[in-house]
Amino acid sequence: MEQDQKQSFILLGVLVLALTLAALALIWAAPDAIAMIDASFSPGVGLKQAAILAFVVTVILFVIFALSAGDGLLGEIQFMISGFGLFYLVAWIMIAWVF
């Protein structure tokens, strides 16, 4: 009985410590979170920034596609050239429009 009570007090102490640390982390991260939310709802990116982001996203995604296709980068290159241009165009316009 006393063993259970001792374990309960230890568990309560750990729980209070965890909640205190979570509250401190929330207070510490609040200014950054507010700044990120403010940046998210500010006016969107322009066409130049969207073009850069679309290029980076397209290159990374197409390298992943090529490597997961099994033939590597050279085996899929003839299909990827036209797909790259179309995907880049769509991603560019969608990033500029949505964001």
Side-chain angles (χ1 to χ4, degrees):
M1 180 92 166
E2 217 165 292
Q3 179 73 15
D4 291 338
Q5 191 174 17
K6 185 177 179 180
Q7 286 179 346
S8 296
F9 282 130
I10 291 173
L11 185 61
L12 178 66
V14 169
L15 184 63
V16 167
L17 181 65
L19 289 175
T20 303
L21 289 175
L24 289 175
L26 184 64
I27 291 170
W28 179 68
D32 292 333
I34 291 171
M36 189 180 345
I37 291 169
D38 184 45
S40 296
F41 289 109
S42 65
V45 298
L47 284 175
K48 287 182 181 180
Q49 185 68 25
I52 295 169
L53 290 171
F55 182 77
V56 170
V57 167
T58 305
V59 167
I60 291 171
L61 192 62
F62 269 65
V63 168
I64 292 170
F65 283 167
L67 292 176
S68 64
D71 290 336
L73 288 174
L74 296 178
E76 302 292 330
I77 195 73
Q78 68 270 22
F79 302 110
M80 291 179 58
I81 291 173
S82 61
F84 183 88
L86 291 173
F87 191 87
Y88 172 71
L89 181 66
V90 170
W92 180 22
I93 300 302
M94 292 301 289
I95 289 173
W97 180 42
V98 173
F99 297 107

Short mmCIF file of all heavy atoms in Angstrom, two decimals, residues 33-43:
data_model
loop_
_atom_site.label_atom_id
_atom_site.label_comp_id
_atom_site.label_asym_id
_atom_site.label_seq_id
_atom_site.Cartn_x
_atom_site.Cartn_y
_atom_site.Cartn_z
N ALA A 33 5.81 31.77 -32.96
CA ALA A 33 4.59 31.24 -33.57
C ALA A 33 3.70 32.37 -34.07
O ALA A 33 3.13 32.29 -35.16
CB ALA A 33 3.84 30.36 -32.58
N ILE A 34 3.60 33.43 -33.31
CA ILE A 34 2.79 34.57 -33.73
C ILE A 34 3.39 35.22 -34.96
O ILE A 34 2.67 35.60 -35.89
CB ILE A 34 2.63 35.58 -32.57
CG1 ILE A 34 1.76 34.97 -31.48
CG2 ILE A 34 2.05 36.89 -33.05
CD1 ILE A 34 1.72 35.77 -30.20
N ALA A 35 4.71 35.33 -35.01
CA ALA A 35 5.37 35.91 -36.19
C ALA A 35 5.15 35.03 -37.42
O ALA A 35 4.94 35.53 -38.53
CB ALA A 35 6.86 36.09 -35.92
N MET A 36 5.20 33.71 -37.24
CA MET A 36 4.98 32.80 -38.36
C MET A 36 3.54 32.89 -38.86
O MET A 36 3.29 32.88 -40.06
CB MET A 36 5.31 31.36 -37.95
CG MET A 36 5.31 30.40 -39.10
SD MET A 36 5.69 28.67 -38.70
CE MET A 36 6.36 28.68 -37.10
N ILE A 37 2.60 32.97 -37.94
CA ILE A 37 1.20 33.10 -38.34
C ILE A 37 0.97 34.43 -39.05
O ILE A 37 0.26 34.50 -40.06
CB ILE A 37 0.29 32.97 -37.10
CG1 ILE A 37 0.32 31.53 -36.59
CG2 ILE A 37 -1.14 33.38 -37.43
CD1 ILE A 37 -0.33 31.35 -35.24
N ASP A 38 1.59 35.49 -38.57
CA ASP A 38 1.46 36.79 -39.21
C ASP A 38 2.05 36.77 -40.62
O ASP A 38 1.46 37.33 -41.54
CB ASP A 38 2.16 37.86 -38.36
CG ASP A 38 1.97 39.24 -38.93
OD1 ASP A 38 0.84 39.57 -39.32
OD2 ASP A 38 2.97 39.99 -39.01
N ALA A 39 3.19 36.09 -40.78
CA ALA A 39 3.79 36.00 -42.11
C ALA A 39 2.94 35.15 -43.05
O ALA A 39 2.91 35.39 -44.25
CB ALA A 39 5.20 35.42 -42.00
N SER A 40 2.24 34.18 -42.51
CA SER A 40 1.41 33.31 -43.34
C SER A 40 0.21 34.06 -43.90
O SER A 40 -0.26 33.75 -45.00
CB SER A 40 0.91 32.11 -42.53
OG SER A 40 2.00 31.33 -42.14
N PHE A 41 -0.30 35.01 -43.16
CA PHE A 41 -1.48 35.73 -43.61
C PHE A 41 -1.16 37.09 -44.21
O PHE A 41 -2.07 37.86 -44.49
CB PHE A 41 -2.47 35.89 -42.45
CG PHE A 41 -3.12 34.59 -42.07
CD1 PHE A 41 -2.79 33.97 -40.89
CD2 PHE A 41 -4.02 33.99 -42.92
CE1 PHE A 41 -3.37 32.78 -40.54
CE2 PHE A 41 -4.60 32.78 -42.57
CZ PHE A 41 -4.28 32.17 -41.39
N SER A 42 0.10 37.40 -44.39
CA SER A 42 0.47 38.64 -45.06
C SER A 42 0.31 38.44 -46.56
O SER A 42 0.10 37.33 -47.04
CB SER A 42 1.91 39.01 -44.70
OG SER A 42 2.80 38.06 -45.22
N PRO A 43 0.41 39.50 -47.35
CA PRO A 43 0.25 39.34 -48.80
C PRO A 43 1.22 38.30 -49.35
O PRO A 43 2.33 38.14 -48.86
CB PRO A 43 0.58 40.72 -49.34
CG PRO A 43 0.27 41.65 -48.22
CD PRO A 43 0.58 40.89 -46.97
#
